[in-house]
Amino acid sequence: MELAQAKLKFIEAWGKLGSEWGINRTMAQVHALLLISPEALTTEEVMDTLNISRGNANMTLRDLISWGLIEKQHKAGERKEYFFADKDTWNIARQVAKERRKRELDPVLKILGELTKVEGDLNDPEFKTFNKSVTDINKLAKNVDKTLDTMLKAEENWFWGSIFKIFK
Amino acid sequence: MELAQAKLKFIEAWGKLGSEWGINRTMAQVHALLLISPEALTTEEVMDTLNISRGNANMTLRDLISWGLIEKQHKAGERKEYFFADKDTWNIARQVAKERRKRELDPVLKILGELTKVEGDLNDPEFKTFNKSVTDINKLAKNVDKTLDTMLKAEENWFWGSIFKIFK
DNA sequence: TTAAACTTTCAATAATTATTGAAAGTTTAA
DNA sequence: TTAAACTTTCAATAATTATTGAAAGTTTAA
């Protein structure tokens, strides 16, 4: 396979994976493009490579910055902004986990917390089933939350390292 | 909060979470409804509770069955099909992980495998960056795959149990 | 067989989400 | 100041995804 071809394939695959996990396809593609670029790129270059509009490129790049996945760079004597991606997979996984926890897990935990407090008659099967499911899911969610918290705080990747070791 | 109200809130929250993770909102809502139902429900009951059409209810229920999250039940002397959800959170997490691995991770692993084989000149920064990113992501993906594999094979929840114990 | 009681399919449509592109805004150099 | 070089915004529109509902299909009892 040609390098140019392989690059396109990577961008496409990353974009598809992103969209299946609720991340904007274009955002994932821009991220993929920057991941395999040795140099930081301008908005213009991103637009041209992926055939997207200036507005889209601008918003997507800003989004990626807010996710902590890419950074701006300024070159001396130039006014253009350049963008480059953090290429450490551990950091990428960490950033994504961090953002999704904040944006999605936290609100759900809040609601589950309220719902576990709903009172009722345990002899009522309707209430009993509701209560059991909510309580169980709340437990799982809390465990996931706690695990992510620890994982995010770990400065090294000792955490995954130690887990993966178990299965070697 | 009233039980009826709390149920709606749970269905809504579950649906929202699903949609943020690339799972059809209605599918997640139907799943939520069955999770908190003590009795198996008919297509009709699902339609009425969630205000969705017969076609939608039918397709969604079949989807949930193919995800291994709900099951059909037949009541003696009746022709209607009843549906109920597996209420064990561990099984739910396991089923979702299993399906997503099959549907999404596997194809990506296949592509990454091909892309790591692309050959080129390591003095070419374009190739070098591409190769490094692809190789690193491939490693991460393989680790995730291996971990899921082990987790899915575990008949008991000793796996999460032992992990969560670390953080108590 | 038949017809009632159900389930499934799928083209049309609605709802949602992503994208465009031009106009407005901002920054910098001279 | 000004104007060129850039970035950002956002209403309009396009693309995608989900839903409807009626028609077709299937199963069962008699």
Side-chain angles (χ1 to χ4, degrees), chain B residues 39-54:
Chain B
E39 303 290 334
L41 302 181
T42 62
T43 302
E44 206 91 5
E45 287 169 314
V46 170
M47 285 166 59
D48 292 350
T49 313
L50 301 179
N51 283 303
I52 60 176
S53 71
R54 183 173 301 285

mmCIF file of all heavy atoms in Angstrom, chain B residues 39-54:
data_model
loop_
_atom_site.group_PDB
_atom_site.id
_atom_site.type_symbol
_atom_site.label_atom_id
_atom_site.label_comp_id
_atom_site.label_asym_id
_atom_site.label_seq_id
_atom_site.Cartn_x
_atom_site.Cartn_y
_atom_site.Cartn_z
ATOM 1 N N GLU B 39 -42.648 -7.208 35.254
ATOM 2 C CA GLU B 39 -43.207 -8.201 34.344
ATOM 3 C C GLU B 39 -42.693 -7.986 32.934
ATOM 4 O O GLU B 39 -42.339 -6.867 32.569
ATOM 5 C CB GLU B 39 -44.742 -8.065 34.303
ATOM 6 C CG GLU B 39 -45.428 -8.184 35.643
ATOM 7 C CD GLU B 39 -45.367 -9.595 36.187
ATOM 8 O OE1 GLU B 39 -45.248 -10.535 35.359
ATOM 9 O OE2 GLU B 39 -45.417 -9.766 37.417
ATOM 10 N N ALA B 40 -42.688 -9.058 32.146
ATOM 11 C CA ALA B 40 -42.370 -8.927 30.729
ATOM 12 C C ALA B 40 -43.483 -8.125 30.055
ATOM 13 O O ALA B 40 -44.648 -8.212 30.455
ATOM 14 C CB ALA B 40 -42.247 -10.305 30.103
ATOM 15 N N LEU B 41 -43.122 -7.316 29.071
ATOM 16 C CA LEU B 41 -44.115 -6.460 28.400
ATOM 17 C C LEU B 41 -44.326 -6.881 26.948
ATOM 18 O O LEU B 41 -43.451 -7.479 26.330
ATOM 19 C CB LEU B 41 -43.650 -5.002 28.422
ATOM 20 C CG LEU B 41 -43.368 -4.365 29.779
ATOM 21 C CD1 LEU B 41 -42.934 -2.918 29.587
ATOM 22 C CD2 LEU B 41 -44.602 -4.438 30.680
ATOM 23 N N THR B 42 -45.497 -6.530 26.436
ATOM 24 C CA THR B 42 -45.780 -6.791 25.015
ATOM 25 C C THR B 42 -45.321 -5.610 24.173
ATOM 26 O O THR B 42 -45.078 -4.520 24.688
ATOM 27 C CB THR B 42 -47.286 -6.969 24.781
ATOM 28 O OG1 THR B 42 -47.932 -5.749 25.151
ATOM 29 C CG2 THR B 42 -47.842 -8.111 25.609
ATOM 30 N N THR B 43 -45.235 -5.843 22.868
ATOM 31 C CA THR B 43 -44.894 -4.768 21.933
ATOM 32 C C THR B 43 -45.859 -3.597 22.145
ATOM 33 O O THR B 43 -45.444 -2.440 22.191
ATOM 34 C CB THR B 43 -45.026 -5.269 20.479
ATOM 35 O OG1 THR B 43 -44.163 -6.387 20.308
ATOM 36 C CG2 THR B 43 -44.652 -4.191 19.499
ATOM 37 N N GLU B 44 -47.119 -3.948 22.276
ATOM 38 C CA GLU B 44 -48.186 -2.962 22.491
ATOM 39 C C GLU B 44 -47.900 -2.062 23.696
ATOM 40 O O GLU B 44 -47.991 -0.835 23.624
ATOM 41 C CB GLU B 44 -49.491 -3.722 22.738
ATOM 42 C CG GLU B 44 -50.730 -2.967 22.365
ATOM 43 C CD GLU B 44 -51.146 -3.247 20.917
ATOM 44 O OE1 GLU B 44 -50.504 -4.104 20.260
ATOM 45 O OE2 GLU B 44 -52.081 -2.597 20.449
ATOM 46 N N GLU B 45 -47.514 -2.686 24.797
ATOM 47 C CA GLU B 45 -47.254 -1.921 26.016
ATOM 48 C C GLU B 45 -46.049 -0.995 25.851
ATOM 49 O O GLU B 45 -46.051 0.135 26.336
ATOM 50 C CB GLU B 45 -47.041 -2.882 27.190
ATOM 51 C CG GLU B 45 -48.334 -3.544 27.649
ATOM 52 C CD GLU B 45 -48.120 -4.691 28.626
ATOM 53 O OE1 GLU B 45 -47.238 -5.547 28.382
ATOM 54 O OE2 GLU B 45 -48.845 -4.739 29.625
ATOM 55 N N VAL B 46 -45.035 -1.490 25.157
ATOM 56 C CA VAL B 46 -43.850 -0.665 24.896
ATOM 57 C C VAL B 46 -44.238 0.535 24.035
ATOM 58 O O VAL B 46 -43.885 1.679 24.328
ATOM 59 C CB VAL B 46 -42.738 -1.499 24.217
ATOM 60 C CG1 VAL B 46 -41.615 -0.604 23.731
ATOM 61 C CG2 VAL B 46 -42.210 -2.561 25.167
ATOM 62 N N MET B 47 -44.998 0.265 22.975
ATOM 63 C CA MET B 47 -45.470 1.328 22.083
ATOM 64 C C MET B 47 -46.209 2.420 22.848
ATOM 65 O O MET B 47 -45.951 3.608 22.672
ATOM 66 C CB MET B 47 -46.467 0.759 21.067
ATOM 67 C CG MET B 47 -45.885 -0.046 19.959
ATOM 68 S SD MET B 47 -47.209 -0.961 19.116
ATOM 69 C CE MET B 47 -48.279 0.392 18.572
ATOM 70 N N ASP B 48 -47.155 1.972 23.691
ATOM 71 C CA ASP B 48 -47.991 2.923 24.418
ATOM 72 C C ASP B 48 -47.201 3.722 25.443
ATOM 73 O O ASP B 48 -47.365 4.932 25.566
ATOM 74 C CB ASP B 48 -49.135 2.179 25.107
ATOM 75 C CG ASP B 48 -50.106 1.610 24.084
ATOM 76 O OD1 ASP B 48 -49.977 1.968 22.892
ATOM 77 O OD2 ASP B 48 -50.970 0.804 24.460
ATOM 78 N N THR B 49 -46.324 3.038 26.179
ATOM 79 C CA THR B 49 -45.579 3.733 27.231
ATOM 80 C C THR B 49 -44.634 4.783 26.654
ATOM 81 O O THR B 49 -44.517 5.880 27.178
ATOM 82 C CB THR B 49 -44.752 2.730 28.068
ATOM 83 O OG1 THR B 49 -45.601 1.631 28.408
ATOM 84 C CG2 THR B 49 -44.215 3.383 29.318
ATOM 85 N N LEU B 50 -43.968 4.428 25.574
ATOM 86 C CA LEU B 50 -42.959 5.351 25.038
ATOM 87 C C LEU B 50 -43.462 6.180 23.855
ATOM 88 O O LEU B 50 -42.703 6.975 23.290
ATOM 89 C CB LEU B 50 -41.707 4.567 24.620
ATOM 90 C CG LEU B 50 -41.034 3.761 25.735
ATOM 91 C CD1 LEU B 50 -39.837 3.007 25.186
ATOM 92 C CD2 LEU B 50 -40.596 4.681 26.868
ATOM 93 N N ASN B 51 -44.723 5.960 23.488
ATOM 94 C CA ASN B 51 -45.286 6.697 22.351
ATOM 95 C C ASN B 51 -44.476 6.521 21.073
ATOM 96 O O ASN B 51 -44.073 7.493 20.429
ATOM 97 C CB ASN B 51 -45.389 8.189 22.662
ATOM 98 C CG ASN B 51 -46.564 8.477 23.561
ATOM 99 O OD1 ASN B 51 -47.706 8.149 23.219
ATOM 100 N ND2 ASN B 51 -46.280 9.042 24.715
ATOM 101 N N ILE B 52 -44.242 5.295 20.732
ATOM 102 C CA ILE B 52 -43.558 5.027 19.474
ATOM 103 C C ILE B 52 -44.427 4.109 18.627
ATOM 104 O O ILE B 52 -45.358 3.465 19.143
ATOM 105 C CB ILE B 52 -42.161 4.386 19.693
ATOM 106 C CG1 ILE B 52 -42.277 3.046 20.430
ATOM 107 C CG2 ILE B 52 -41.247 5.332 20.437
ATOM 108 C CD1 ILE B 52 -40.960 2.321 20.581
ATOM 109 N N SER B 53 -44.131 4.057 17.347
ATOM 110 C CA SER B 53 -44.958 3.276 16.427
ATOM 111 C C SER B 53 -44.685 1.783 16.560
ATOM 112 O O SER B 53 -43.677 1.367 17.136
ATOM 113 C CB SER B 53 -44.661 3.690 14.998
ATOM 114 O OG SER B 53 -43.377 3.236 14.633
ATOM 115 N N ARG B 54 -45.596 1.010 15.979
ATOM 116 C CA ARG B 54 -45.434 -0.436 16.016
ATOM 117 C C ARG B 54 -44.140 -0.864 15.311
ATOM 118 O O ARG B 54 -43.385 -1.682 15.839
ATOM 119 C CB ARG B 54 -46.638 -1.091 15.332
ATOM 120 C CG ARG B 54 -46.628 -2.603 15.357
ATOM 121 C CD ARG B 54 -47.935 -3.178 14.799
ATOM 122 N NE ARG B 54 -49.087 -2.712 15.566
ATOM 123 C CZ ARG B 54 -49.405 -3.177 16.779
ATOM 124 N NH1 ARG B 54 -48.670 -4.109 17.337
ATOM 125 N NH2 ARG B 54 -50.451 -2.709 17.416
#
